[in-house]
Amino acid sequence: METIKIKYFSDEIEKLRYIDGKSDWIDLRAAKDFGLKKGEFALVPLGVGMQLPKGYEAHVVPRSSTFKNFGIIQTNHMGVIDYTYCGDNDQWFMPCLAVRDTEIHVNDRICQFRIMENQPAITFDEVEHLDAPDRGGFGSTGKN
């Protein structure tokens, strides 16, 4: 099990915890109250900063209920926080765009994260043909 140093920027949010057996994603909470009008952008502070192990990064995404409950979308769709973002003032934020008038309150669970190992170094081998069958389309269905 990895141990990660964490700094809390707010004493109002619930402490992070890993719930074994449920999911390997960990919920993050708003550390400030926000009222947003439709079309407004905000960087929602998440009240935490972490010192990730070298060679790891955090992937931050909305929870499945975030859009339904708050009417916001994460503007970068998936945030990637690398291990070098670990200074004493490097608080994590969620960039949000409101698609309807909404309110977000301290301690609302608005996004989640997981720690991932960095991609290994790779090289590309340019070829004329790939050795797999052609599925002839777009996405997993193979249909246009």
Side-chain angles (χ1 to χ4, degrees):
M1 178 179 287
E2 292 285 339
T3 299
I4 306 235
K5 290 182 181 179
I6 185 168
K7 176 182 177 181
Y8 288 93
F9 290 84
S10 168
D11 57 1
E12 294 184 66
I13 60 170
E14 194 174 302
K15 303 289 187 199
L16 297 188
R17 59 192 168 102
Y18 180 78
I19 302 172
D20 195 26
K22 182 178 178 197
S23 171
D24 59 357
W25 290 84
I26 301 168
D27 288 339
L28 293 165
R29 299 168 181 274
K32 179 180 173 186
D33 289 331
F34 271 89
L36 295 172
K37 299 289 185 195
K38 180 180 179 178
E40 286 186 330
F41 170 82
L43 285 173
V44 179
L46 302 173
V48 297
M50 295 181 213
Q51 189 171 354
L52 303 176
K54 185 175 183 178
Y56 285 81
E57 61 194 20
H59 294 181
V60 180
V61 299
R63 297 182 75 243
S64 60
S65 61
T66 297
F67 183 77
K68 175 182 68 89
N69 291 342
F70 302 104
I72 58 173
I73 57 174
Q74 184 173 337
T75 58
N76 58 352
H77 304 290
M78 181 180 92
V80 178
I81 301 171
D82 69 40
Y83 73 93
T84 65
Y85 189 71
C86 61
D88 212 31
N89 294 306
D90 290 339
Q91 179 175 193
W92 292 12
F93 290 84
M94 181 182 181
C96 297
L97 179 69
V99 298
R100 63 173 160 81
D101 292 358
T102 190
E103 288 188 9
I104 300 168
H105 300 286
V106 170
N107 231 17
D108 282 343
R109 295 180 302 159
I110 61 168
C111 59
Q112 58 192 338
F113 79 101
R114 71 185 307 187
I115 305 297
M116 302 291 295
E117 197 167 1
N118 292 137
Q119 178 173 285
I122 60 172
T123 60
F124 293 97
D125 181 19
E126 187 173 343
V127 298
E128 285 292 321
H129 301 281
L130 300 174
D131 297 330
D134 186 357
R135 294 179 53 185
F138 176 80
S140 62
T141 63
K143 297 178 183 175
N144 294 336

